[in-house]
């Protein structure tokens, strides 16, 4: 078994036809089970790097491997994300017409076939992020921190091997951050 979860080699990412270079020769290696925080000022390429690791975008040059897979060779990036990677986006990306429970359940389609099993797992995950009593609320009736916790529960719903988080604590309440 490959002990590396992530290997990034000499990655460059340009935007606006090469006028903006978001990443300039990035190298990164992360072992399975390791926790890594990428820090830096706004606009330095942190979100861009996460998007590359999640196969949401492709580098201009260089290679990105996650769980031993060269992401440039993926036949189905969506399937890779659905089965291997949990994502917590900076702006939550919750579906406003769904409840908190349904927003978590949606990440389990294709993994857990029975509706009741998905519902039970979603409720357990929401309890793990301290949202008991708010499971039936849509995102519009949740605070920013509560929406972020729903997004965290959703990212964990399919039991991914890699979890990528973009500004994961930026909207959380002080009491949750200290826990």
């Amino acid at each position: 078994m490959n002990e590396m979860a992530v290997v990034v080699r000499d990655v460059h990412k340009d935007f606006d036809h090469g006028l903006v270079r978001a990443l300039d020769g990035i190298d990164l290696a992360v072992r399975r089970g390791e926790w890594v925080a990428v820090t830096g000022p706004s606009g330095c390429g942190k979100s861009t790097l996460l998007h590359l690791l999640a196969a949401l975008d492709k580098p201009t040059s260089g290679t990105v491997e996650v769980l031993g897979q060269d992401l440039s060779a993926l036949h189905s990036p969506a399937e890779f994300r659905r089965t291997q990677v949990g994502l917590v986006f900076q702006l939550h990306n919750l579906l406003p017409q769904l409840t908190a429970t349904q927003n978590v359940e949606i990440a389990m389609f294709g993994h857990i076939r029975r509706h009741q099993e998905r519902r039970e797992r979603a409720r357990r995950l929401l309890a793990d992020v301290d949202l008991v009593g708010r499971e039936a609320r849509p995102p519009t009736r949740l605070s920013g921190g509560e929406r972020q916790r729903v997004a965290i529960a959703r990212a964990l719903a399919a039991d991914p091997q890699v979890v990528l988080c973009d500004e994961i604590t930026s909207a959380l309440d002080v009491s949750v951050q200290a826990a």
Side-chain angles (χ1 to χ4, degrees):
M1 178 164 111
N2 184 354
E3 66 181 78
M4 299 309 291
V6 171
V7 178
V8 175
R9 290 186 201 98
D10 195 29
V11 165
H12 295 80
K13 180 61 183 173
D14 298 337
F15 293 100
D16 294 331
H17 307 290
L19 294 175
V20 175
R21 176 152 283 175
L23 299 173
D24 192 11
I26 298 294
D27 293 302
L28 175 67
V30 180
R31 296 188 185 291
R32 288 180 186 260
E34 190 172 17
W35 291 61
V36 174
V38 177
T39 63
S42 180
C44 74
K46 301 179 300 291
S47 294
T48 299
L49 178 61
L50 288 177
H51 289 178
L52 296 180
L53 294 174
L56 289 168
D57 201 355
K58 293 183 178 187
T60 304
S61 64
T63 60
V64 178
E65 293 178 10
V66 177
L67 303 169
Q69 298 178 74
D70 180 346
L71 298 190
S72 68
L74 288 177
H75 293 293
S76 176
E79 178 70 10
F80 167 76
R81 283 188 297 276
R82 190 177 65 77
T83 60
Q84 304 296 314
V85 177
L87 288 164
V88 181
F89 293 95
Q90 192 170 3
L91 298 175
H92 318 120
N93 286 359
L94 299 177
L95 297 171
Q97 68 275 26
L98 301 181
T99 66
T101 300
Q102 292 166 332
N103 266 286
V104 175
E105 281 183 78
I106 203 164
M108 292 181 257
F109 284 100
H111 293 283
I112 299 175
R113 296 190 190 278
R114 289 187 46 238
H115 171 77
Q116 189 58 36
E117 288 179 59
R118 286 192 308 267
R119 176 71 36 111
E120 289 171 13
R121 178 159 173 75
R123 288 190 173 160
R124 279 194 311 271
L125 288 165
L126 290 168
D128 288 346
V129 295
D130 198 27
L131 287 175
V132 172
R134 291 176 173 79
E135 302 92 343
R137 291 185 184 179
T140 56
R141 293 194 49 230
L142 296 171
S143 72
E146 289 169 336
R147 287 191 300 271
Q148 186 74 333
R149 288 184 273 152
V150 172
I152 292 166
R154 181 188 56 199
L156 300 174
D159 200 23
Q161 293 188 50
V162 173
V163 178
L164 302 170
C165 306
D166 195 357
E167 304 266 352
I168 190 167
T169 60
S170 64
L172 294 181
D173 305 328
V174 173
S175 61
V176 174
Q177 288 183 24

